[in-house]
Amino acid sequence: AQSVTQLDSHVSVSEGTPVLLRCNYSSSYSPSLFWYVQHPNKGLQLLLKYTSAATLVKGINGFEAEFKKSETSFHLTKPSAHMSDAAEYFCVVSDLLAGTASKLTFGTGTRLQVTL
Amino acid sequence: DAGITQSPRHKVTETGTPVTLRCHQTENHRYMYWYRQDPGHGLRLIHYSYGVKDTDKGEVSDGYSVSRSKTEDFLLTLESATSSQTSVYFCAIRGTPELETQYFGPGTRLLVL
């Protein structure tokens, strides 16, 4: 079974400084990887996804992630944090199920705090 | 917005009572999923459906059943609610043509007393 590990449960940055949220994955084959964001008391929104087309993936709101097979990592970055980025971020791997269904396996989440 | 609604959005119930949560989609997607979200666990798959009347178990299916009698509705039932089922429940659909991307509904917050 595939899995993801988010290395930090909580990250705090100042507004205007870079963001780095770390994720390592475990997979027996080339996986599909995602980052989702959840703002307080809201649903989950897809930030970006990697599906083997390009190792550097650009997402919404200035976020990007780089797939590094040699390091089994898929870290999320943003050059300059904004107050509105404060949220919980989930690294996710897609696993295949019977009948061509797919299952998402979630990391435990990283809470990003942005301070003035 | 993937056209997913969930009802109710909030519910308080007592231990031992049956509870049904509804997920409704408007875009005719084949695959639908139920997840629960708990602190420290991320989201975990309860059940999923790959067509009308076609469902299967996820990793935390004990105590839950599902039904899908028409494409647009996927129901999650707690036959006899327990306090351990207090959680936030999310429905998801798998969009097309990006077959592995899932889009989530707004969630249902369930409290079992």
Side-chain angles (χ1 to χ4, degrees), chain A residues 32 34 36 38 41-44 46 49 51 90 94 96-104 106-108, chain B residues 30-31 33 35 37 40-43 45 48 50 59 90 94 98-106 109:
Chain A
S32 292
F34 308 81
Y36 284 83
Q38 184 178 32
N41 299 312
K42 299 290 186 184
L44 288 95
L46 179 67
K49 62 180 180 181
T51 54
F90 293 96
S94 179
L96 295 177
L97 297 169
T100 72
S102 66
K103 164 197 164 184
L104 299 185
F106 282 73
T108 52
Chain B
R30 177 182 175 189
Y31 296 95
Y33 304 79
Y35 292 85
Q37 183 178 26
H41 289 278
L43 275 75
L45 182 66
Y48 66 99
Y50 46 96
E59 61 185 297
F90 287 98
R94 200 172 87 186
E98 300 149 329
L99 297 182
E100 292 184 273
T101 302
Q102 293 184 20
Y103 298 93
F104 289 82
R109 190 171 295 272

Side-chain angles (χ1 to χ4, degrees), chain A residues 2 26 31 36 45 80 89:
Chain A
Q2 304 193 103
S26 171
Y36 284 83
Q45 181 183 20
S80 176
Y89 292 79

Side-chain angles (χ1 to χ4, degrees), chain B residues 5-38:
Chain B
T5 57
Q6 293 185 231
S7 59
R9 294 292 314 280
H10 302 271
K11 185 169 183 66
V12 180
T13 191
E14 293 188 350
T15 298
T17 60
V19 176
T20 295
L21 309 182
R22 179 182 183 236
C23 177
H24 180 78
Q25 56 133 336
T26 59
E27 299 183 3
N28 207 35
H29 295 292
R30 177 182 175 189
Y31 296 95
M32 299 183 75
Y33 304 79
W34 277 108
Y35 292 85
R36 61 178 288 173
Q37 183 178 26
D38 304 291

Side-chain angles (χ1 to χ4, degrees), chain B residues 5-6 9 13 17 23 36 40 44 49 55 59-61 71 79 81 84-85 89 93-94 99 103-104 106 110 113:
Chain B
T5 57
Q6 293 185 231
R9 294 292 314 280
T13 191
T17 60
C23 177
R36 61 178 288 173
R44 292 177 292 173
S49 171
T55 65
E59 61 185 297
V60 291
S61 59
T71 300
E79 301 290 349
S84 65
Q85 294 176 311
Y89 292 86
I93 58 92
R94 200 172 87 186
L99 297 182
Y103 298 93
F104 289 82
L110 176 67
L113 300 174

